[in-house]
Amino acid sequence: AHRHSISDLAFLSTGSHFLTVSEDMHMKLFDMNSLQHVRSFAHKSVVTSVRVSPVDDNLAATASGDKTVRLWQLYGAHPRDECWVLEGHIAWVSCLEFSSNGTVLVSGSFDHSFRIWSTCSGNCLFTYKDAHEGFLLSLGMSFDGTIIVTSSQDLSVRVWDVSAASGMLPETAIN
């Protein structure tokens, strides 16, 4: 179904469908039972990561080489349209993670930063520039949304306390 290698995939919580993203600039929705391609969504560049909201199977997020994060409505009147195009990174966006309640999305980039976005408004809530000396490769968020862990090409893993009182200072760095 894709013309180039698949970069990432994600299941919808119902288990009835899954999404794939690829270097061919597309996200594709597949039916799990038939393994048939259901729908395609086009980006403007390589798609590097995909996540589905943990509370809304209709909302997916993708990261791309076009320096954007996109939130997509998978079903409905205009399923091929983005809900939001989140701009602000200055290099490829490489990784994503939703908060457990689905209200926040974190993106990591080759620009060495991570950003925290509102999935309700599409606004960037916070940017942490120079989180690493190398490209951000992956990230995760604790269930309560207070801790973000990032890994980088610089061979480090960093733990960030993002609770309101923290001031976004690195709590732990592992090299």
Side-chain angles (χ1 to χ4, degrees), residues 29-43:
L29 177 67
F30 290 86
D31 180 275
M32 188 60 201
N33 294 323
S34 67
L35 299 181
Q36 294 298 306
H37 169 243
V38 176
R39 191 171 283 141
S40 290
F41 305 83
H43 248 281

Side-chain angles (χ1 to χ4, degrees), residues 5-174:
S5 62
I6 294 171
S7 318
D8 200 6
L9 56 88
F11 275 97
L12 279 64
S13 67
T14 61
S16 64
H17 292 82
F18 65 94
L19 294 165
T20 58
V21 294
S22 170
E23 294 177 3
D24 68 7
M25 302 187 295
H26 286 85
M27 173 176 69
K28 297 195 178 206
L29 177 67
F30 290 86
D31 180 275
M32 188 60 201
N33 294 323
S34 67
L35 299 181
Q36 294 298 306
H37 169 243
V38 176
R39 191 171 283 141
S40 290
F41 305 83
H43 248 281
K44 294 182 180 3
S45 182
V46 170
V47 189
T48 57
S49 186
V50 62
R51 294 291 179 269
V52 178
S53 168
V55 296
D56 181 3
D57 270 354
N58 192 35
L59 183 65
T62 53
S64 177
D66 67 6
K67 307 173 195 170
T68 66
V69 173
R70 294 175 191 260
L71 295 176
W72 304 88
Q73 184 178 13
L74 298 178
Y75 307 102
H78 302 287
R80 287 179 169 73
D81 295 335
E82 306 98 8
C83 298
W84 303 102
V85 178
L86 311 179
E87 298 177 310
H89 285 292
I90 57 173
W92 281 39
V93 183
S94 54
C95 49
L96 299 167
E97 190 68 58
F98 276 102
S99 62
S100 61
N101 65 7
T103 61
V104 169
L105 180 72
V106 181
S107 60
S109 172
F110 282 11
D111 66 9
H112 307 198
S113 76
F114 66 87
R115 290 176 175 260
I116 301 172
W117 308 88
S118 165
T119 59
C120 300
S121 68
N123 292 328
C124 182
L125 303 174
F126 194 87
T127 302
Y128 196 90
K129 295 180 180 178
D130 301 319
H132 287 270
E133 293 177 19
F135 302 154
L136 266 73
L137 299 176
S138 63
L139 57 83
M141 184 184 296
S142 64
F143 186 79
D144 67 2
T146 62
I147 303 292
I148 294 172
V149 179
T150 57
S151 72
S152 170
Q153 178 194 35
D154 67 11
L155 308 179
S156 69
V157 172
R158 295 202 173 140
V159 179
W160 307 89
D161 179 351
V162 295
S163 59
S166 75
M168 291 295 296
L169 297 174
E171 188 171 280
T172 307
I174 303 169

